Amino acid sequence: MNGAESLVQTLTEQGVDICFANPGTSEMHFLRALENPRMKSVLCLFEGVCTGAADGYYRMKGTPASTLLHLGPGLANGLANIHNAKRASSGMVNIVGEHSAAHLKYDPPLTSDIEGLARPLSHWVRRVESPDAVAWDVAAAVSKASEHSGQIATLILPGDTSWQETSARIDVPQAVAYAKTPDAARVEHIARVLRSGEPTLIVLAGRSTRGRALELAGRLKSATLCRLATQFFTARIERGAGRVTLERIPYAVDAAIDYLKGFRHIITVETTEPIAFFSYPGKPSLLKSPGTTVHALAEVGEDGTAGLEMLVDALGAQHAPVLHQTRADATAPVGALNPASIAQALASALPENCILVDESLTTGRETMGLTVGAAPHDLINNMGGSIGYGTPVATGAALACPDRRVFCMIGDGSAMYTIQSLWTQARENLNVTTIIFANNSYAILKAEYANMGAGAPGERALAMIDIDRPRIDWLAMAKSMGVPGVAVNSADAFHQAMTHSVHESGPCLIEVRL
Amino acid sequence: MNGAESLVQTLTEQGVDICFANPGTSEMHFLRALENPRMKSVLCLFEGVCTGAADGYYRMKGTPASTLLHLGPGLANGLANIHNAKRASSGMVNIVGEHSAAHLKYDPPLTSDIEGLARPLSHWVRRVESPDAVAWDVAAAVSKASEHSGQIATLILPGDTSWQETSARIDVPQAVAYAKTPDAARVEHIARVLRSGEPTLIVLAGRSTRGRALELAGRLKSATLCRLATQFFTARIERGAGRVTLERIPYAVDAAIDYLKGFRHIITVETTEPIAFFSYPGKPSLLKSPGTTVHALAEVGEDGTAGLEMLVDALGAQHAPVLHQTRADATAPVGALNPASIAQALASALPENCILVDESLTTGRETMGLTVGAAPHDLINNMGGSIGYGTPVATGAALACPDRRVFCMIGDGSAMYTIQSLWTQARENLNVTTIIFANNSYAILKAEYANMGAGAPGERALAMIDIDRPRIDWLAMAKSMGVPGVAVNSADAFHQAMTHSVHESGPCLIEVRL
């Protein structure tokens, strides 16, 4: 067995059985090792798709995927979506091919400081020193990536460690993931806060926006009259009819301050206190009122669900009733496309148990709040703010959950970043409906230009914001990569296209012409 | 005047008058400052296009362009083509937007270690500390980028340094670019080598593959019977009829060793001795024979042309005759597409003074040598080996030389990396003919798989190499971004499409179906 075969075998033995790959010459032995039938390899035509797909896979599966990247530049192409994954606490094992040590000293063209490129966005970086070290190093990488919360592990694999034979079979320990339980005294303190009856907001994030954590939060709400919210962006949230609904702290600074000002206490679960996404002249970064106190029930990396359980117990709220979201009117909309009719189309057409990946910056902000009464679904947001996360994350989510349809709502500007995802969706026949909100503009920036105090954009500034010359032909774009597409310019047509996509297998694209 | 206005004004005063931009919220004041009519802003839909275009611009203009990138992830998306530019010794000024210092401490979502991401691939990194520092910092960045050889300068611009007012007009020194002259004693030594009559190869690179340097090299060849070559990849070379022709050291290790084995001496000019691109089991990294001695006439960063001039003087070869390339048969080819007929079509159709950007890994290797008798043209290669350099570099080259047509020869796999370039080409109506060699495969990897000793790829490995499911529809891809396209499957049709593209203004795409 050579180093590459040891690597793939160890990955699968540690539970990592999918690899999003874009290989090059230095990874040929890895490619050969991918003949191992326990490993599913998924080819992506750009590395940003690999890393984003690994993020999407983790969000739905809860265990890390691997990526195969070609030296420093291949890693560099994947970094933006590694950033987004890191901010979403998604675990990931990146394998980065590298020149053999004997070759590296001549500084061949593809040489770069791979550790230097990896460190700013990885929690763990290691260079394999020999074929025999591969198994240990891979096990350590998977163990790191599997921590709660998930971590970015990057393993650098020189060519010779890949092609040379291992000298012995090395048994490595199985990766075990566990989360720290919150401190009991802290829970007791927070129970006193909730008993005080003072206006309190619980902000949920991480793994506490799903399943049992949501139910526990619902008990706290009915027992103490606190309110429940998420940050504007959440890595993954279970929402819709039959679930405990969480409010959403607004994105805009003024609106968020206004929303938060009534609360005397903010209790955070697997997140920090609300802060502004960007800084604006004359506006604060911290969004809470000066008189508000923040209490961390669970830090990031701690087990928020356990914290909520302890809190419910401390308050004797084990049997408090839970209010669940009712199903909204599911009538199909007619007429013009606007935030309300788009939301109505979504609420009506989204099938039970679907996955919604949202990167529709402008359209989505006005729409998403109106879909809370849709059939139960998972909603995924961009946690890192680097656009181009949506189509790859949808790709990975679809591979993690082949029986569930994925809807990727994305603005045209964002979609262009990693549009190569469509090809992988076609190749793997993934059940992804990509919804392009085509306003032919980085529309969000027009608002941000004013928010920044830069006034109204002039002609030259507008030329850097509008992407309407030429207009992107989304149907041609979809066709180019083997994805069927349809364009709609009314709410009824949008609804019809959504419904149609649910009943066909494989990917499709809907261009919503705004 | 605020910091952003100071920045744009200083850039233009220092001779940097083009900015390849993909802005975000933190760069809104920069956008406003781009209203300055002396600065041309070019919007790119992905940052890899920005940095690749800046590379192409430098290669043809010899002075740096600027890029505008959105925080760490925006920089990360541009890094692969920064790597390629760095390896091509292309100067570039990257402006990276950043959160205000007061906001940064809260670790908002888009926060990352920008210096950490920038350093591995930049020669110079600085963070602007105040609006008054902007002018000095920008001048320093331009000065660094303008060095011979060109350098990568990355300036980090926090939002508040952008929007706050400057307190005074600051005069900064004008950037001056100069190159070190090679050491006279070294030249004398190399003159003795050439006088010895022992078999000698001069390997030219950097700025010594064009203009006067080529003529000087031609004199050395006829006076001493040395031979003249380039590495397999060269940043920019003037070639074709009427020019001094340089041989090309082969890419494949065995062929390169065979080519070099007859030389007792290798003289390098603005490059290093030939090394293998990748390491392969059982094959050497250094390509010269053990008995060959290497002499550096000019190191990278030294003035190779001055070195050649000194060498010609030392040898008294000022009046040696120079042999120029003759024009090859320009008959249009007919029949099937193969390396010879593709080369014949190129040699026949390439117009005088055109620019050829080559990233056709598989097809190009067999073809390019046959185009040396075409009309005089500039040839540009990928120096860093990170694929996806071609279409952005062609974009930047076309902006640097609006009166010359650019041909971008690129494999289908490579083209998919930064295909967003087509949109910018359409928007700016650039005279770029993109030639896609569509073999529906990372074909180069099939050869590399065998070269690596991995044997013949199995089914699963082939699935990571072939990109034929689905086949990319290149005409639809071109159409999606407003570029007219045509597909050809014969040499005559290819020739006709090439000729046609010369007579139309604006971009087009030719899919060569192999």
Side-chain angles (χ1 to χ4, degrees), chain A residues 22 87 103 285 417 427 463, chain B residues 22 103 107 285 417 427 463:
Chain A
N22 187 278
R87 291 280 167 170
H103 192 57
S285 294
Y417 267 61
R427 184 179 187 83
Chain B
N22 187 279
H103 192 56
D107 192 33
S285 295
Y417 267 62
R427 184 179 187 85

Side-chain angles (χ1 to χ4, degrees), chain B residues 11-372:
Chain B
L11 279 176
T12 60
E13 285 173 358
Q14 299 287 325
V16 178
D17 54 9
I18 192 164
C19 182
F20 297 99
N22 187 279
T25 295
S26 42
E27 293 83 51
M28 290 298 102
H29 291 84
F30 191 109
L31 267 200
R32 188 156 186 270
L34 288 178
E35 298 285 343
N36 183 332
R38 291 175 62 190
M39 178 64 81
K40 176 168 178 66
S41 320
V42 178
L43 181 59
C44 305
L45 299 187
F46 180 72
E47 293 89 346
V49 180
C50 297
T51 54
D55 182 7
Y57 189 88
Y58 181 93
R59 297 222 206 173
M60 294 313 302
K61 201 94 164 185
T63 57
S66 62
T67 68
L68 176 60
L69 311 171
H70 184 49
L71 294 101
L75 170 63
N77 281 333
L79 283 176
N81 274 332
I82 290 176
H83 167 84
N84 287 328
K86 187 184 183 208
R87 291 280 166 171
S89 294
S90 292
M92 182 186 303
V93 177
N94 301 303
I95 312 291
V96 185
E98 166 65 306
H99 292 305
S100 302
H103 192 56
L104 202 53
K105 63 175 172 285
Y106 300 112
D107 192 33
L110 264 166
T111 307
S112 64
D113 174 4
I114 301 181
E115 279 91 344
L117 289 166
R119 283 217 178 87
L121 295 167
S122 302
H123 297 91
W124 181 100
V125 180
R126 188 177 291 176
R127 177 178 291 253
V128 177
E129 296 295 344
S130 75
D132 283 341
V134 167
W136 275 107
D137 290 344
V138 170
V142 177
S143 175
K144 188 70 188 170
S146 305
E147 281 183 12
H148 178 104
S149 56
Q151 309 275 297
I152 308 296
T154 302
L155 189 66
I156 302 165
L157 184 73
D160 48 355
T161 63
S162 182
W163 73 58
Q164 288 169 2
E165 291 296 306
T166 55
S167 66
R169 157 91 198 168
I170 291 161
D171 286 316
V172 293
Q174 196 69 27
V176 181
Y178 71 98
K180 280 171 285 186
T181 303
D183 179 65
R186 210 195 308 157
V187 174
E188 205 39 67
H189 164 74
I190 291 171
R192 278 194 299 274
V193 167
L194 284 170
R195 275 193 216 102
S196 74
E198 292 181 328
T200 299
L201 181 70
I202 304 182
V203 183
L204 299 158
R207 299 200 180 200
S208 67
T209 50
R210 341 201 275 255
R212 176 145 184 83
L214 275 187
E215 290 295 306
L216 292 164
R219 290 192 205 292
L220 292 172
K221 180 177 181 180
S222 66
T224 71
L225 303 181
C226 69
R227 278 164 63 189
L228 305 174
T230 63
Q231 308 278 9
F232 189 77
F233 295 118
T234 300
R236 177 182 160 198
I237 179 170
E238 289 178 356
R239 71 199 285 271
R243 287 189 171 147
V244 172
T245 291
L246 308 178
E247 302 172 40
R248 193 178 190 188
I249 300 173
Y251 180 90
V253 172
D254 294 337
I257 289 173
D258 193 54
Y259 175 84
L260 292 172
K261 71 168 185 260
F263 297 105
R264 176 74 187 78
H265 302 279
I266 292 175
I267 297 170
T268 57
V269 187
E270 302 190 34
T271 186
T272 61
E273 70 167 283
I275 51 165
F277 206 87
F278 286 106
S279 51
Y280 302 86
K283 294 196 177 174
S285 295
L286 297 180
L287 301 175
K288 69 173 187 293
S289 288
T292 305
T293 311
V294 178
H295 314 271
L297 176 67
E299 307 274 4
V300 175
E302 291 184 330
D303 186 340
T305 308
L308 291 166
E309 193 97 52
M310 292 158 76
L311 195 53
V312 165
D313 287 350
L315 291 165
Q318 295 91 335
H319 304 294
V322 177
L323 186 67
H324 292 110
Q325 175 69 43
T326 53
R327 182 74 172 95
D329 166 31
T331 314
V334 292
L337 288 162
N338 55 49
S341 67
I342 290 171
Q344 183 64 24
L346 290 169
S348 170
L350 290 178
E352 195 169 323
N353 211 27
C354 72
I355 299 164
L356 199 54
V357 177
D358 185 22
E359 193 175 15
S360 54
L361 303 184
T362 304
T363 307
R365 277 182 204 177
E366 299 172 356
T367 295
M368 282 310 297
L370 306 172
T371 63
V372 74

